[in-house]
Amino acid sequence: MSSLLPVYKKWGITPVKAKGSWLTAEDGKDYLDFTSGIGVVNLGHGHEEVMEEVQEQLGKFWHTSNLFQLSIQEEVASQLARLSGLDKVFFCNSGAEANEAALKLARRATGKTAIISCRQSFHGRTFGAMAATGQSAIHNGFGPVLEGFSYLPFNDLNAFEKEMDESTAAVLVEVIQGEGGVIPGTESFLTGLSKLCQKYDALLIIDEVQTGNGRTGYPFAYLKYEQVKPDIVTTAKGLGNGLPIGAVMARAGLEQAFAQGVHGSTFGGNPISLAASKAVIAKMADDSFLSGVREKSAWFMEELKKLAERTAVIKDVRGDGFMIGLEMQGDSARYIMSLQEKGLLVLTAGPNVVRLLPPLTVTKEELSIALEKIEEVCELESLTS
C-alpha cells in the first residue's frame, strides 16, 4: 500500500529515463512525450544547456536565503523584465504561489478587494488562487472561498463592461484557458480588458503560468498583441524546465506596495532553479528559436485540422503554438489511454478535450509520428463507435 495521499490519478507508467521528446518506462517501452511534464519541460528532457547551467551553480552553492545579495537573482530578474516589458520581479516556487502573490499585490496596491476572473479558468489550488479559479469543482469541499471574487464568461467583453467599475481592484485572465479546454482569448477581448482596466484604475493580471516561456512561440503569449498592456504577469511551469520556480513581473510603481516584510518565500529565487531559468530565458530571447517554434507548430496545427476534416472523431482543433486542444467525440480519457498504448503521451483539458503540449524542441519527424498515432486511434474509434 502506498504511503502517498491519493490526490493524483496515476497512469500505469514508471519512467526510468528521458531525453528530448522521449520517455522510457520501466518495462522498456518508449513513449513520445507530448505532455512535457504538463507544460513544464519546454526544452525537452535532459536539455544540455540547462544541465550545464545547473551543474555550474551546484558547484558553487545551492541555497543561502533571501537575506543575501544574489547576483543570479538580479541577472534573471533583469532578463525577465526586459522580455516582458515590465519592471520588477518577485521569485517564488510555482504558478499557484505566483498567482497568490499577484492577488496580494493587486489588493495592497489598489486598496480595493474586488477581483474578476473568468468562468472555467484555472489559477491554482491554494486558497487565493482557488478563489480566483472559476470552476466549482475546484472549490467543492473546502468551505467558503475567499470573498471578493467573481467570475464572468471568457471572451465576453460585454459582460466585463457591465460588471467593472471603480471598485474593481483587478482582472485576472489567461491568454489561453488551459484546464478550461484550451480556449484561446481573442485579441479584441484581451485588448478590451486592458482598456477597461485603465479606465477604472484596476490592474490587469495575466496568468502566463502555462502559456509563457515560449509555449506559443513568444516569450509570453500576450506579446502577440501590441495593445494588451498588463500591469502584472505571472509565470512558472516552463521557466525552470523541470526545476520548481515561479515569478511575478510587475510594472514600475507597484513595488511600493510590496515593501520589506510584506511578502516572502523561503525557497523563492533558489539559485539552482534560477540557473535552469537562465538557459530557458536564453532560448526565449532567441528570435530564430521562437520563429522555429511558430513555424513547426503552425504546420502541426494545419495537419491536425486536415485530419479533423477526414474524421468525425475530432470535432475541433484549437490553440496557439504548441498548446493545442483536440475536442473529441465523447470522453477524452479513452483517447488518452488508446494513445498511450500507441506510445504517445497526451493530456486532458476538460471532459472531452485532448491536450497536446510537445516540447518546443520537438522535431518535424516526431510531430509526424504523433500525427500517425493520432490518426490510427481516430480510425480505430470510428470503426468501434
Side-chain angles (χ1 to χ4, degrees):
M1 180 179 292
S2 174
S3 297
L4 294 170
L5 282 169
V7 294
Y8 302 110
K9 184 178 180 180
K10 292 182 178 285
W11 294 336
I13 299 171
T14 301
V16 292
K17 64 179 180 178
K19 185 67 176 177
S21 304
W22 295 88
L23 181 149
T24 302
E26 191 175 47
D27 62 2
K29 184 172 181 177
D30 291 324
Y31 294 89
L32 185 54
D33 184 4
F34 275 28
T35 73
S36 297
I38 315 183
V40 169
V41 192
N42 282 5
L43 300 184
H45 297 286
H47 191 273
E48 290 184 3
E49 291 166 46
V50 174
M51 292 178 67
E52 288 171 4
E53 291 285 358
V54 168
Q55 287 169 350
E56 181 180 345
Q57 184 60 47
L58 277 168
K60 299 175 181 177
F61 58 90
W62 53 80
H63 181 76
T64 55
S65 86
N66 285 310
L67 296 175
F68 292 85
Q69 300 284 343
L70 298 178
S71 60
I72 193 169
Q73 288 186 350
E74 295 288 351
E75 181 182 357
V76 176
S78 177
Q79 292 168 340
L80 283 174
R82 185 179 70 254
L83 283 174
S84 66
L86 295 168
D87 304 283
K88 301 294 182 179
V89 177
F90 171 79
F91 290 115
C92 51
N93 304 288
S94 68
E97 284 186 39
N99 285 330
E100 288 280 346
L103 295 170
K104 289 176 68 176
L105 177 57
R107 284 185 165 181
R108 191 172 176 87
T110 64
K112 300 182 282 188
T113 59
I115 295 172
I116 305 173
S117 61
C118 293
R119 296 174 190 167
Q120 295 306 116
S121 60
F122 183 82
H123 300 291
R125 295 180 184 273
T126 50
F127 265 94
M130 181 176 71
T133 294
Q135 298 187 48
S136 59
I138 303 298
H139 303 166
N140 291 343
F142 296 104
V145 296
L146 296 180
E147 295 180 353
F149 292 86
S150 58
Y151 319 103
L152 298 176
F154 190 60
N155 278 331
D156 188 345
L157 186 61
N158 186 55
F160 281 81
E161 289 173 339
K162 291 178 179 178
E163 181 78 9
M164 289 182 68
D165 57 27
E166 286 78 7
S167 69
T168 305
V171 170
L172 173 58
V173 67
E174 300 160 275
V175 180
I176 303 172
Q177 287 194 328
E179 301 293 331
V182 190
I183 303 171
T186 65
E187 182 175 4
S188 59
F189 173 65
L190 296 168
T191 301
L193 286 184
S194 189
K195 293 177 180 177
L196 282 173
C197 285
Q198 293 169 19
K199 177 180 178 179
Y200 291 114
D201 198 24
L203 301 182
L204 177 60
I205 308 171
I206 295 185
D207 179 338
E208 292 263 10
V209 170
Q210 187 169 161
T211 53
N213 309 299
R215 175 55 53 187
T216 67
Y218 296 85
F220 300 101
Y222 71 88
L223 293 172
K224 185 176 181 178
Y225 309 117
E226 292 184 2
Q227 300 305 311
V228 178
K229 305 295 183 184
D231 299 285
I232 302 171
V233 174
T234 61
T235 194
K237 285 190 180 288
L239 183 57
N241 206 60
L243 275 76
I245 186 169
V248 180
M249 293 152 280
R251 64 166 170 79
L254 293 178
E255 73 274 11
Q256 298 172 17
F258 260 20
Q260 292 180 10
V262 169
H263 192 62
S265 170
T266 296
F267 293 104
N270 175 271
I272 302 304
S273 294
L274 286 170
S277 295
K278 283 177 62 178
V280 171
I281 291 170
K283 292 297 184 184
M284 289 166 57
D286 184 343
D287 289 337
S288 63
F289 176 77
L290 291 177
S291 65
V293 171
R294 294 194 294 271
E295 180 183 345
K296 288 185 295 184
S297 61
W299 175 84
F300 188 49
M301 183 84 77
E302 185 61 31
E303 292 301 310
L304 287 168
K305 289 179 178 178
K306 290 177 183 177
L307 173 58
E309 291 174 357
R310 300 195 299 270
T311 176
V313 174
I314 302 175
K315 296 172 62 178
D316 190 24
V317 179
R318 55 180 179 256
D320 197 7
F322 278 132
M323 187 172 175
I324 300 170
L326 306 179
E327 185 177 345
M328 311 299 288
Q329 293 282 1
D331 186 3
S332 59
R334 69 173 187 264
Y335 297 101
I336 288 169
M337 292 299 102
S338 295
L339 287 167
Q340 280 189 16
E341 292 174 7
K342 297 284 184 182
L344 177 63
L345 303 177
V346 296
L347 299 161
T348 60
N352 63 342
V353 176
V354 171
R355 181 172 25 160
L356 308 176
L357 299 173
L360 310 183
T361 52
V362 68
T363 66
K364 203 167 181 180
E365 180 183 2
E366 290 167 340
L367 292 171
S368 296
I369 293 170
L371 282 167
E372 291 174 5
K373 294 179 185 297
I374 294 168
E375 184 160 18
E376 287 173 7
V377 167
C378 288
E379 289 174 351
L380 286 171
E381 183 67 24
S382 297
L383 291 173
T384 57
S385 60

